[in-house]
Amino acid sequence: MPTRSARTAWSGGLQDGSGQVELVSSGVGKYDVSFPKRAADNADGTTSPEELIAAAHSSCYAMALSAEIGNAGGTVQSLDVNADVTLGPDPAGGFRISGIKLTVRGRVTGIDAAAFQTAAAAAKAGCPVSKALAGVDTIELDAALEA
């Protein structure tokens, strides 16, 4: 299986420094990072580890759910997956990812709402990124079929 790479170039201290993360394997871009903006409500044009984790989790979950729906006999018309990753204080000091919420809305044929819920839960458990994030206290799932 392949290995994917990213690189970050950083200069300065935590509060006054900044960096740029580069998605090396795909070559799709370089993105600014800054701790003050990471910890602020407004990202102001920068990304953060949490946003990158959210991107990884939402895309991995969509793939896993698509597979689970297919295994259940359904056909995916569309899946809209959103991942919200929250940075919070760590009681042991510093910061940690304190929670993740996956929200998925699907248009699917061939299975009912109960089978969709079963597939959604199985995808959450089986998604490689969910497994990698097993140390997060709460990964919440809100899954629903749309008419």
Side-chain angles (χ1 to χ4, degrees):
M1 297 301 292
T3 299
R4 302 291 186 233
S5 300
R7 175 183 172 272
T8 299
W10 184 270
S11 62
L14 179 62
Q15 294 297 331
D16 66 347
S18 63
Q20 196 170 64
V21 62
E22 176 183 7
L23 304 181
V24 175
S25 299
S26 64
V28 297
K30 294 180 181 181
Y31 304 94
D32 293 334
V33 291
S34 150
F35 183 78
K37 291 179 183 179
R38 176 185 185 185
D41 288 332
N42 183 345
D44 194 30
T46 66
T47 192
S48 67
E50 293 73 34
E51 184 178 39
L52 296 170
I53 290 169
H57 206 178
S58 67
S59 61
C60 184
Y61 180 80
M63 292 177 203
L65 181 54
S66 179
E68 292 292 340
I69 290 168
N71 291 341
T75 301
V76 174
Q77 304 303 312
S78 66
L79 296 173
D80 184 358
V81 180
N82 189 68
D84 296 313
V85 176
T86 302
L87 178 68
D90 187 337
F95 298 93
R96 68 187 179 108
I97 294 173
S98 57
I100 299 172
K101 182 177 181 184
L102 291 171
T103 303
V104 59
R105 297 296 177 259
R107 293 184 186 274
V108 176
T109 58
I111 61 172
D112 62 12
F116 182 79
Q117 290 296 321
T118 299
K124 178 185 166 215
C127 163
V129 173
S130 290
K131 290 177 184 179
L133 296 169
V136 175
D137 289 341
T138 304
I139 299 178
E140 181 184 340
L141 176 62
D142 174 2
L145 280 175
E146 293 184 330

